[in-house]
Amino acid sequence: MTRGREVLDLPVWSRASGPSHGPHCRDAMAHLDSEVKEERLREDLKFYFMNPCEKFRARQQIPWKLGLQILKIVMVTSQYHRLGNLSLGTLGYGEKEDNRVGLKVCKQHYKKGTMFPSNETLNIDSDIEIDCIHLGLQALSNNPQDWKNSSFFKLEFYRLLQIEISFQLKGIDPQTIYSRELPDCYVFQNMITFDNKAHSGKIKIYFNSDANIEECKDLNISGSIQRNTQYVLVFDAFVIVICLASLILCTRSIVLALRLRKRFLNFFLEKYKRHVCNTDQWEFVNGWYVLVIISDLMTIVGSILKMEIKAKNLTNYDLCSILLGTSTLLVWVGVIRYLGYFQAYNVLILTMQASLPKVLRFCACAGMIYLGYTFCGWIVLGPYHNKFEKLNTVAECLFSLVNGDDMYATFAHIQQKSLLVWLFSRLYLYSFISLFIYMILSLFIALITDSYDTIKKYQKNGFPATDLQEFLKECSSKEKCQQESSAFLPRICCLRRNGSDDHLILVN
């Protein structure tokens, strides 16, 4: 007798030695073992689907993931501060690859040819030639007529394909002095392109500028200037550590959830001889954890790029800002998960979850109609309207029309050179606007409204129970479980193996 328990040296059935007390004892022990496994699985499932507060009350488990997400909101949002804040004081021409300062002008044209529109005569050599000329600072400072009268600038537009004007500018960013840092020196590679490849009478103009950071030379700054770059790098490194911890915790939760899912599927198939429905299986895949993992990965990569930019090793502001901006969005969206534990704030999440499958199927069907109108408008109206020249602009124009924007301008800018095309444009636009605004958009809203009404009704009358929920409802209290287990084998609690001997432990 030890602490209210009595240990009896009773031989028990084992797989190695075979039965020792007959089939009745074996069946009772097997049933007890099954009941213990079932109750342990039920407890693990209940704990998995608890919110952080319930987990803390049940097992005193500190909600580390919740704390990390709140900390990430503050740090990731503040990290984006001043990322793209760039202003330059003075600018000057810089040396190009050939150590020459000024403008470099290149033109692409067909090798040779003649054209006489009056008698419809054309003779063109399709080989392309590239001619370049350099205009130094001295030539640019002189009278423009001195270099404009050059034969290089006598253009034959029927042969001309493209003109590129490239130049380099250098500048110093003095605003970093205010933040107690040394100034940054930038080099800008600029190019202006005149595109005449279409020969449509309209020359398109493009401007492209790439910035690079270079080490400043001969800096002479008086006063107390301290570099605080190391403090910013330490902050970014701390953000990376926080995101790595969040990434590890969420990945661990997903792995444990998949293991628990496998246990439940095997138990359900063994006991009830049927498979669990897909809805219950997806309950174990927490989409919020996937969202957090994606956000953490983007934050880690964006923070590394930001550190490289701060250290003057990279200038890829676009990729860095996209990663950090998107991760900030996902971090804030991820907080909705914790608000969803309260019924008053859970309507939005439940409505989105319920309506998402139906909305995706509806958008797939509506998207086919939308693509049909997009290709039709591009093929027919492209030569007559600048909004229909490219597929992406056609899609953007139609999306604006669905939302009621820029309707009059779209109708009015159709060129009336062809009466047939003009009539087609009216039929095309009226049918698209009527179909999408009055029918498709209304059905889209109706799907969401129907899901919202269903969720409100379920919150009032109760949600329909799934197999998983029915399983969790069984043996909801310990007393009920103990009563059911005692009906099979009175007073026997568990089987303990002590060394090489088997003992049945009885509770007084």
Side-chain angles (χ1 to χ4, degrees):
M1 181 72 63
T2 305
R3 293 185 182 180
R5 294 186 178 182
E6 180 182 358
V7 181
L8 302 180
D9 292 329
L10 298 177
V12 296
W13 180 84
S14 63
R15 293 182 178 86
S17 60
S20 59
H21 282 286
H24 180 73
C25 183
R26 293 198 306 270
D27 293 342
M29 293 301 301
H31 195 85
L32 176 62
D33 184 63
S34 176
E35 289 292 333
V36 172
K37 290 183 179 179
E38 179 178 349
E39 183 59 26
R40 186 177 300 171
L41 174 61
R42 183 178 289 106
E43 291 179 357
D44 292 341
L45 289 172
K46 288 181 179 179
F47 183 78
Y48 173 75
F49 289 106
M50 287 180 181
N51 60 49
C53 296
E54 294 173 343
K55 290 181 179 180
F56 180 77
R57 288 194 296 264
R59 300 184 183 178
Q60 301 298 314
Q61 177 174 310
I62 301 176
W64 296 108
K65 292 190 288 294
L66 173 59
L68 287 176
Q69 300 313 310
I70 296 176
L71 182 60
K72 278 170 52 183
I73 288 178
V74 178
M75 301 190 68
V76 175
T77 304
S78 61
Q79 187 189 36
Y80 189 73
H81 179 61
R82 291 185 65 251
L83 176 64
N85 190 8
L86 177 63
S87 63
L88 297 180
T90 57
L91 291 173
Y93 282 100
E95 296 180 352
K96 294 184 67 62
E97 297 83 0
D98 51 2
N99 296 326
R100 305 177 72 179
V101 180
L103 300 179
K104 181 180 180 181
V105 184
C106 296
K107 63 179 181 179
Q108 297 181 13
H109 54 82
Y110 293 124
K111 189 172 182 180
K112 61 180 179 179
T114 56
M115 183 175 66
F116 301 98
S118 57
N119 57 3
E120 300 178 352
T121 301
L122 175 65
N123 182 16
I124 289 289
D125 188 345
S126 60
D127 292 336
I128 298 176
E129 290 184 343
I130 300 177
D131 297 330
C132 296
I133 187 175
H134 182 269
L135 301 177
L137 295 180
Q138 184 176 1
L140 293 174
S141 61
N142 295 335
N143 189 353
Q145 298 298 329
D146 295 341
W147 51 269
K148 283 184 178 180
N149 294 329
S150 171
S151 60
F152 179 85
F153 293 99
K154 294 181 180 180
L155 305 176
E156 296 176 337
F157 285 96
Y158 69 92
R159 290 199 302 138
L160 181 65
L161 297 176
Q162 183 174 284
I163 295 179
E164 293 180 350
I165 301 176
S166 59
F167 57 97
Q168 187 181 90
L169 295 178
K170 289 187 175 182
I172 301 177
D173 179 17
Q175 71 168 357
T176 54
I177 300 178
Y178 179 78
S179 57
R180 307 179 67 84
E181 297 181 20
L182 293 176
D184 296 328
C185 293
Y186 292 87
V187 177
F188 294 91
Q189 303 289 345
N190 305 291
M191 179 175 292
I192 303 174
T193 303
F194 299 86
D195 189 357
N196 191 45
K197 294 179 180 179
H199 286 90
S200 60
K202 296 181 181 180
I203 298 180
K204 297 181 179 180
I205 303 176
Y206 304 95
F207 175 75
N208 183 43
S209 180
D210 295 325
N212 295 313
I213 299 178
E214 290 188 354
E215 183 179 358
C216 294
K217 301 177 181 179
D218 299 331
L219 290 177
N220 185 12
I221 304 174
S222 59
S224 57
I225 298 297
Q226 301 177 1
R227 291 189 64 91
N228 67 344
T229 304
Q230 61 271 19
Y231 302 111
V232 179
L233 295 179
V234 170
F235 178 81
D236 294 337
F238 186 61
V239 172
I240 294 176
V241 172
I242 293 297
C243 292
L244 278 176
S246 175
L247 177 65
I248 293 173
L249 289 177
C250 292
T251 304
R252 173 180 173 272
S253 298
I254 291 179
V255 173
L256 294 178
L258 294 178
R259 291 179 180 176
L260 185 60
R261 172 179 174 268
K262 184 178 180 180
R263 286 175 55 193
F264 177 69
L265 296 180
N266 294 335
F267 168 80
F268 203 85
L269 182 61
E270 179 181 351
K271 182 175 181 179
Y272 299 103
K273 307 303 180 182
R274 62 187 180 90
H275 294 280
V276 179
C277 63
N278 293 329
T279 303
D280 284 344
Q281 294 188 33
W282 280 105
E283 287 291 332
F284 293 89
V285 181
N286 196 324
W288 295 109
Y289 289 157
V290 178
L291 185 72
V292 172
I293 290 175
I294 296 175
S295 173
D296 290 335
L297 291 175
M298 298 181 72
T299 303
I300 292 173
V301 177
S303 299
I304 294 175
L305 292 178
K306 183 172 179 286
M307 295 173 68
E308 291 295 322
I309 292 173
K310 202 67 180 178
K312 320 303 181 189
N313 296 327
L314 291 177
T315 58
N316 198 341
Y317 290 96
D318 295 336
L319 180 59
C320 181
S321 61
I322 289 174
L323 291 175
L324 291 182
T326 306
S327 64
T328 305
L329 169 64
L330 297 181
V331 167
W332 281 96
V333 172
V335 182
I336 301 179
R337 170 182 178 242
Y338 300 100
L339 295 177
Y341 292 126
F342 306 95
Q343 183 175 352
Y345 303 96
N346 202 25
V347 178
L348 175 61
I349 301 175
L350 294 178
T351 303
M352 293 175 61
Q353 291 178 349
S355 61
L356 183 60
K358 294 184 290 185
V359 167
L360 291 178
R361 290 191 293 266
F362 181 80
C363 289
C365 298
M368 299 299 102
I369 305 176
Y370 190 87
L371 287 176
Y373 271 94
T374 301
F375 282 101
C376 178
W378 174 55
I379 295 172
V380 180
L381 302 180
Y384 301 94
H385 200 300
N386 56 356
K387 293 183 180 180
F388 292 84
E389 290 181 352
K390 298 180 181 179
L391 277 175
N392 61 322
T393 57
V394 177
E396 294 165 0
C397 176
L398 295 181
F399 187 79
S400 299
L401 292 177
V402 171
N403 292 275
D405 297 334
D406 207 19
M407 283 193 178
Y408 178 77
T410 304
F411 277 94
H413 288 173
I414 296 290
Q415 301 179 13
Q416 300 185 17
K417 294 181 178 180
S418 173
L419 179 61
L420 180 61
V421 174
W422 184 85
L423 291 175
F424 176 83
S425 67
R426 265 46 191 172
L427 177 63
Y428 171 84
L429 293 175
Y430 278 119
S431 62
F432 175 81
I433 294 172
S434 301
L435 178 63
F436 273 83
I437 292 182
Y438 303 134
M439 183 178 295
I440 294 180
L441 189 59
S442 299
L443 291 174
F444 184 85
I445 297 174
L447 289 176
I448 301 176
T449 305
D450 180 68
S451 299
Y452 174 77
D453 294 336
T454 304
I455 294 300
K456 294 293 290 184
K457 184 185 302 182
Y458 285 160
Q459 286 186 334
K460 182 179 180 181
N461 303 325
F463 288 84
T466 61
D467 293 336
L468 177 60
Q469 294 169 348
E470 290 289 348
F471 176 75
L472 294 178
K473 289 180 181 179
E474 298 177 5
C475 290
S476 57
S477 64
K478 293 184 178 180
E479 296 178 358
K480 182 179 178 181
C481 291
Q482 290 175 356
Q483 292 174 2
E484 292 183 358
S485 61
S486 63
F488 297 103
L489 191 59
R491 303 183 66 201
I492 295 181
C493 292
C494 61
L495 174 65
R496 175 182 294 175
R497 300 188 65 87
N498 185 9
S500 59
D501 299 328
D502 294 335
H503 303 282
L504 288 177
I505 301 176
L506 303 180
V507 179
N508 289 335

